[in-house]
Amino acid sequence: MSSEMNNPTNDAALRSFVPVSPESHFPIQNLPYGVFRCAHNERSRIGVAIGEFVLDVTALEDRGFFDQTVLGGRRVFDGSSLNAFLASGHTAWSEVRAVISRLLRDDEPRLRDDAGLRDSVLIPMGRVEMRMPVAIGDYTDFYSSREHATNVGTMFRGKDNALMPNYLWVPVGYHGRASSVVLSGTDLHRPVGQSSPDGNAAPPFGPSQAVDFELEMGFFVGPGSELGRPISIEEAREHIFGMVLVNDWSARDIQKWEYVPLGPFLGKNFGTSISPWVVSMEALEPFRCEGPVQEPGPLPYLSIQGNQAIDIGIEVSLRGEGSDGAEVICRSNFRHLYWSMAQQLAHHTVNGCDVRPGDLMASGTISGPTPDSYGSMLELSWGGQKPVTLPGGGERRFLEDGDRVTITGWCQGDGYRVGFGEVTGRILPARR
Ligand code: CA
């Protein structure tokens, strides 16, 4: 593996000549990838975030900065998505990261001392517009938080039958919809649809009365696999490029009526928001930690040694229309997830299903063990029975028109943060 604990690009002592505050999500230890566009140049390009700047990686490739890596002269950043880079594999990921890390170091003069080069490849973040980082072919959503599954199961089936019998054996998931995955900042209209009728009456049809967020994270698949050839759990890490924050918006009333027997459909596919910066697994390596104990032990194809969880603190804040500020309504952590990303990918492909570069796999709602760590309004308000009191006044059962939901998250290092920025979006009134 290229990504080991002593990876020099992860050294906590590294500093960039680009100023980076301790609270910044984008120190030299992070180097997340995104796709951006400048007002003065219509062409989408690939960049890496560093402090308050974007490093233009497409321009670096144009200048041959990656010619000495395994890529040779092959162009992978000459596009409007990260897909070609994702397809190039973990050796390329690691070598490109090493080149960029060295170039940004405070003791490396090549870029630091070349004002002309700096001006052409370092762009203030305020001057760029972020774009979808990846052309997502397929989107799969898992259900990997035992706490979330237990809470939802308790609400729908009672405490004694909260977890389905398959839950501790199968990383449960379903196929979502890639076309409605949107970038942070995209506002969504309240969906309309059918909900559960009273008795034998016709189902009510209209704007959802139970629009919700789901606090999730997702990963992007790297090289991908061939139809019929599973990715083993040992191989899984080489197929996972990096992660983003995900808000998997949901309409609980539509979901509750439609989900039998085939599962989630229109209550889920009206929008899924992702953050613009993709944090590589290599940057997250120092923050790996033990996950929950898996008992019963998983079947052999899902068994793997070593730390599979990652310590990523995540917060959800809500800002109502006309409100003075956003209020934090949930604090959770990615490490709570019962099923790891490697287990998700191994399970997804064990039947021979192929995956492709840029496929998005989301975790499912990440709820922690305590009520303030529940990752959806459904759980925070316990099915709407216990309204959430907002710290600044007002209350919510589900989301109201004009509500803005913002999710942020980061790994806390010693004096620095490897962060994800944020994913934000607003619920607009239903279209008439
Ligand atoms: Ca979900």
Side-chain angles (χ1 to χ4, degrees), residues 1-204:
M1 280 307 299
S2 54
S3 40
E4 282 131 23
M5 286 302 285
N6 59 359
N7 185 325
T9 65
N10 292 338
D11 189 340
L14 277 189
R15 292 291 177 269
S16 176
F17 65 86
V18 178
V20 179
S21 75
E23 293 78 35
S24 169
H25 282 201
F26 309 126
I28 193 168
Q29 289 83 3
N30 190 348
L31 307 177
Y33 293 87
V35 172
F36 71 98
R37 208 165 66 170
C38 291
H40 64 269
N41 187 340
E42 278 294 292
R43 181 184 169 207
S44 287
R45 300 204 298 276
I46 289 160
V48 156
I50 177 76
E52 302 286 316
F53 287 82
V54 177
L55 177 70
D56 186 338
V57 175
T58 301
L60 293 178
E61 186 177 64
D62 288 345
R63 288 168 161 80
F65 275 80
F66 307 120
D67 287 358
Q68 304 310 310
T69 71
V70 68
L71 292 171
R74 196 157 59 83
R75 307 294 299 264
V76 296
F77 296 116
D78 185 31
S80 55
S81 78
L82 291 170
N83 292 49
F85 185 47
L86 301 192
S88 68
H90 71 103
T91 303
W93 306 339
S94 191
E95 291 184 9
V96 167
R97 176 176 166 85
V99 169
I100 293 171
S101 173
R102 168 154 288 283
L103 200 57
L104 288 170
R105 279 166 58 160
D106 60 359
D107 58 355
E108 166 66 39
R110 191 168 176 194
L111 180 57
R112 183 192 68 192
D113 296 347
D114 185 336
L117 184 59
R118 269 199 330 267
D119 279 352
S120 55
V121 301
L122 276 174
I123 303 152
M125 260 186 201
R127 287 188 13 217
V128 308
E129 175 199 359
M130 299 306 295
R131 316 282 291 172
M132 277 297 277
V134 172
I136 300 169
D138 279 298
Y139 162 42
T140 300
D141 195 15
F142 285 91
Y143 195 57
S144 290
S145 160
R146 181 177 182 169
E147 287 81 1
H148 173 69
T150 302
N151 286 339
V152 175
T154 301
M155 272 182 257
F156 289 126
R157 292 182 297 275
K159 195 155 52 82
D160 295 336
N161 301 302
L163 274 191
M164 286 296 198
N166 63 0
Y167 191 84
L168 299 178
W169 297 102
V170 175
V172 170
Y174 74 99
H175 290 131
R177 181 89 196 155
S179 66
S180 53
V181 178
V182 298
L183 189 64
S184 175
T186 306
D187 297 333
L188 295 167
H189 288 275
R190 177 176 298 273
V192 298
Q194 295 189 22
S195 54
S196 306
D198 269 339
N200 291 326

Side-chain angles (χ1 to χ4, degrees), residues 141 174 214 216 248 268 364-365:
D141 195 15
Y174 74 99
E214 285 188 336
E216 304 199 18
D248 194 26
K268 295 287 184 177
T365 305

Side-chain angles (χ1 to χ4, degrees), residues 8 16-17 20 36 54 57 74 121 171-172 204 239 256 263 266 285 292 349 371 381 386 397 401 412 415:
S16 176
F17 65 86
V20 179
F36 71 98
V54 177
V57 175
R74 196 157 59 83
V121 301
V172 170
H239 286 268
K256 189 178 174 195
L266 306 186
E285 200 62 29
T349 60
S381 73
K386 293 191 283 189
R397 290 176 165 80
D401 289 348
Q412 184 64 56

Side-chain angles (χ1 to χ4, degrees), residues 306-323:
N307 289 338
Q308 299 299 314
I310 307 174
D311 184 2
I312 308 170
I314 321 172
E315 288 181 6
V316 183
S317 63
L318 175 65
R319 178 175 188 159
E321 185 141 45
S323 149

Side-chain angles (χ1 to χ4, degrees), residues 164-353:
M164 286 296 198
N166 63 0
Y167 191 84
L168 299 178
W169 297 102
V170 175
V172 170
Y174 74 99
H175 290 131
R177 181 89 196 155
S179 66
S180 53
V181 178
V182 298
L183 189 64
S184 175
T186 306
D187 297 333
L188 295 167
H189 288 275
R190 177 176 298 273
V192 298
Q194 295 189 22
S195 54
S196 306
D198 269 339
N200 291 326
F205 178 83
S208 166
Q209 300 303 304
V211 173
D212 202 351
F213 66 87
E214 285 188 336
L215 162 57
E216 304 199 18
M217 297 195 73
F219 69 84
F220 286 110
V221 172
S225 61
E226 284 168 38
L227 185 67
R229 190 196 168 285
I231 295 173
S232 73
I233 192 151
E234 288 79 20
E235 295 167 320
R237 277 169 79 162
E238 297 189 0
H239 286 268
I240 299 175
F241 172 73
M243 297 174 66
V244 288
L245 298 163
V246 177
N247 180 353
D248 194 26
W249 305 90
S250 300
R252 302 300 181 187
D253 42 1
I254 296 172
Q255 179 184 357
K256 189 178 174 195
W257 171 234
E258 74 178 0
Y259 86 100
V260 183
L262 288 187
F265 193 33
L266 306 186
K268 295 287 184 177
N269 66 10
F270 61 95
T272 299
S273 304
I274 65 168
S275 53
W277 293 107
V278 184
V279 177
S280 70
M281 296 316 299
E282 209 169 338
L284 297 169
E285 200 62 29
F287 304 97
R288 282 191 179 269
C289 61
E290 271 182 50
V293 173
Q294 294 187 314
E295 182 58 48
L299 294 180
Y301 80 96
L302 294 172
S303 294
I304 187 168
Q305 300 299 309
N307 289 338
Q308 299 299 314
I310 307 174
D311 184 2
I312 308 170
I314 321 172
E315 288 181 6
V316 183
S317 63
L318 175 65
R319 178 175 188 159
E321 185 141 45
S323 149
D324 291 342
E327 323 219 25
V328 174
I329 55 170
C330 161
R331 286 191 173 88
S332 188
N333 194 302
F334 184 76
R335 68 185 300 173
H336 295 314
L337 288 179
Y338 189 80
W339 293 108
S340 70
M341 293 182 285
Q343 288 173 322
Q344 291 167 355
L345 190 57
H347 181 66
H348 200 313
T349 60
V350 73
N351 67 342
C353 173

